[in-house]
Amino acid sequence: MAADPKQSETLRQIQAAFEASQTQLTQLRQQVEKHSALAKAKTQSDFLQKEKERVFRELGEAVFKQAQKGRLELPAAFAPLLKAIEQVHHKAEVQAREITDLLMEGEETAQRMKQKNAGPPNSGVAPRPKKL
């Protein structure tokens, strides 16, 4: 039995579309793998950057503490940085005192309201109705 030319052409087109889809899928898979590798590298880079910043911060704090204790003398070029750190410390202390004061005010207000609302105890009996 001879094959129908229309069916043969349709099968050839389906086969060509299937092969094109496989090629596209392979390319897409490669792109996804490349993107995944880039994302992983970026995440690792971000982690290392944060770790570096943490270590620098710890080093700076250690050097600052040693300089404050007089165990380390820094060059004059560091004077503006030391002054800036001292100013930030001072501002933080002032803010901490303000927060403490606000908390104390809130506590005092709560105590006054508690005493004000304490009033006489309820007898549990409704008051008599007023006569008209």
Side-chain angles (χ1 to χ4, degrees):
M1 188 171 181
D4 184 7
K6 280 188 172 182
Q7 283 183 341
S8 295
E9 179 62 23
T10 303
L11 286 174
R12 189 184 62 71
Q13 289 175 353
I14 290 172
Q15 183 66 28
F18 180 73
E19 290 171 1
S21 296
Q22 283 183 321
T23 301
Q24 288 176 346
L25 180 62
T26 301
Q27 291 172 349
L28 180 61
R29 182 181 301 123
Q30 290 170 348
Q31 289 175 355
V32 167
E33 289 171 355
K34 182 178 179 181
H35 181 72
S36 177
L38 286 172
K40 183 178 179 181
K42 174 72 170 118
T43 300
Q44 289 173 338
S45 175
D46 290 348
F47 174 78
L48 290 174
Q49 181 64 29
K50 287 180 183 179
E51 181 69 12
K52 184 173 100 174
E53 290 170 1
R54 182 190 64 77
V55 171
F56 271 128
R57 185 176 55 249
E58 289 177 4
L59 173 65
E61 288 175 4
V63 168
F64 179 73
K65 287 177 183 177
Q66 293 299 313
Q68 276 187 319
K69 293 176 182 177
R71 295 181 183 164
L72 179 66
E73 188 172 330
L74 297 175
F78 287 89
L81 292 172
L82 292 172
K83 184 172 178 128
I85 290 172
E86 289 171 0
Q87 288 174 346
V88 169
H89 277 285
H90 177 70
K91 288 178 184 178
E93 288 172 358
V94 169
Q95 186 178 28
R97 284 193 301 269
E98 289 175 359
I99 290 171
T100 300
D101 291 346
L102 289 171
L103 289 172
M104 288 176 61
E105 282 180 31
E107 182 64 28
E108 290 170 1
T109 302
Q111 288 296 329
R112 282 194 307 269
M113 291 185 74
K114 189 175 179 181
Q115 290 172 355
K116 179 181 173 184
N117 290 335
N122 289 335
S123 67
V125 178
R128 293 185 183 192
K130 294 184 180 179
K131 294 183 182 179
L132 295 174

